[in-house]
Amino acid sequence: MSPADEDEASGIRCRLDELLAERGMTLTRLSELVGVSIVNLSVLKNDRARAIRYSTLSAICRALDCEVGDLLVRAD
C-alpha cells in the first residue's frame, strides 16, 4: 500500500479550513493562539497529517471553540 493509500484508508477528514472560515480566523492567527507552526497546521488543514497530538487537538478546539468531532469527521 502506498503512503497516499494509507492516508485515504484512515477515512478521516479535517475540517480546519471550514472552521477557520466560519470564524473569520486566519491560519496565522490560529498558529499564534495554539503555538503550532503554520506549516504543521497547513499539513493538518490539507489532510496530509498522519497523526495529531492530543494536546494540539485540544488547543485547536479551544481556540476555535469547537469539539473534536467538529474538526475531525469521517470521510467514508
Side-chain angles (χ1 to χ4, degrees), residues 21-62:
E22 287 172 9
R23 285 150 179 79
M25 187 183 294
T26 64
L27 204 58
T28 301
R29 180 63 181 141
L30 182 63
S31 173
E32 293 166 354
L33 290 172
V34 301
V36 174
S37 73
I38 294 172
V39 171
N40 285 340
L41 288 176
S42 181
V43 167
L44 183 63
K45 180 176 83 87
N46 293 311
D47 288 322
R48 294 192 315 263
R50 291 177 178 251
I52 184 170
R53 293 174 192 237
Y54 284 156
S55 58
T56 301
L57 191 55
S58 179
I60 291 171
C61 288
R62 246 190 330 275

Side-chain angles (χ1 to χ4, degrees), residues 1-11 50:
M1 187 180 289
S2 74
D5 291 337
E6 288 176 18
D7 289 343
E8 290 173 15
S10 74
R50 291 177 178 251

Side-chain angles (χ1 to χ4, degrees), residues 3 13 20 42 48 50 55 70-72 74:
R13 188 175 68 81
L20 287 170
S42 181
R48 294 192 315 263
R50 291 177 178 251
S55 58
D70 299 325
L71 181 64
L72 300 176
R74 286 180 41 196

